Amino acid sequence: MRMKMMLAAAMMVATALSVGTTAQAAAPYCGITWGSGDKSAGDHTQAQLLTVRTGRHDCYDRVVFEFEGAASGYRAAYGEAYTQGGGVALSPYTAGGAVIELVLLEPAAYATGEHVAAVVPYDTLRDVVAGGTSEGYTTFAIGVRARLPYRVFTLNGPGTHSRIVVDVAHQW
């Protein structure tokens, strides 16, 4: 009887250690839990896109779209990105192993096909290409190294400006 109890106790300890190791191995990279599914929010506005810039962080790369006025509308998804009004695929002109199509629900004055950001030293970002504006919708192809977790969100400011931000993780 005593041997059975000792064996049962040993099995419980082994199971607990196994569960702890599995939980540690499954911990998300840098705590990132964003996923790679479609994302959308906000409404159509007439806020004018002023600039596009990028940034590098320890766990992700960032693209910032800054607007004059309150911008809040976007749709983002992995897959093919197409020019507004023309329907031409942008992936042949966009560096990277995967493309995030970002449709801003605001107008912009970037020329279709224009590479709008320098991302040479980045871990994840490979390119940002304008897909044009039509009827107040603006498309960008964000070229990334591979299909990785990403998030999109809006920020107010500075002043009367607003920003739509896309962060793409360096890994899963």
Side-chain angles (χ1 to χ4, degrees):
M1 178 74 158
R2 182 174 180 184
M3 184 61 101
K4 283 184 180 180
M5 289 175 58
M6 288 174 51
L7 185 58
M11 288 176 60
M12 286 178 16
V13 168
T15 301
L17 288 174
S18 173
V19 168
T21 302
T22 302
Q24 289 172 350
Y29 170 72
C30 287
I32 293 172
T33 58
W34 305 331
S36 63
D38 298 358
K39 295 159 180 37
S40 64
D43 297 315
H44 193 271
T45 71
Q46 291 302 310
Q48 184 67 39
L49 181 61
L50 298 174
T51 188
V52 179
R53 62 183 177 275
T54 60
R56 296 172 63 197
H57 297 268
D58 289 340
C59 300
Y60 56 88
D61 290 343
R62 172 172 283 182
V63 184
V64 178
F65 300 85
E66 186 169 338
F67 296 85
E68 175 62 51
S72 65
Y74 60 84
R75 293 188 313 258
Y78 274 103
E80 186 58 76
Y82 296 95
T83 61
Q84 282 291 332
V88 175
L90 288 168
S91 63
Y93 312 102
T94 307
V99 172
I100 298 171
E101 179 185 47
L102 178 68
V103 177
L104 301 172
L105 308 184
E106 292 82 18
Y110 285 95
T112 300
E114 182 179 352
H115 297 262
V116 300
V119 294
V120 171
Y122 287 43
D123 293 355
T124 299
L125 289 177
R126 295 294 183 258
D127 210 349
V128 182
V129 179
T133 296
S134 179
E135 298 179 6
Y137 295 88
T138 303
T139 297
F140 285 91
I142 301 173
V144 295
R145 180 174 43 81
R147 185 178 178 130
L148 294 161
Y150 74 105
R151 67 179 175 181
V152 184
F153 59 96
T154 60
L155 294 170
N156 293 324
T160 61
H161 292 195
S162 62
R163 293 161 284 161
I164 294 177
V165 179
V166 179
D167 291 336
V168 186
H170 293 164
Q171 64 186 43
W172 279 96

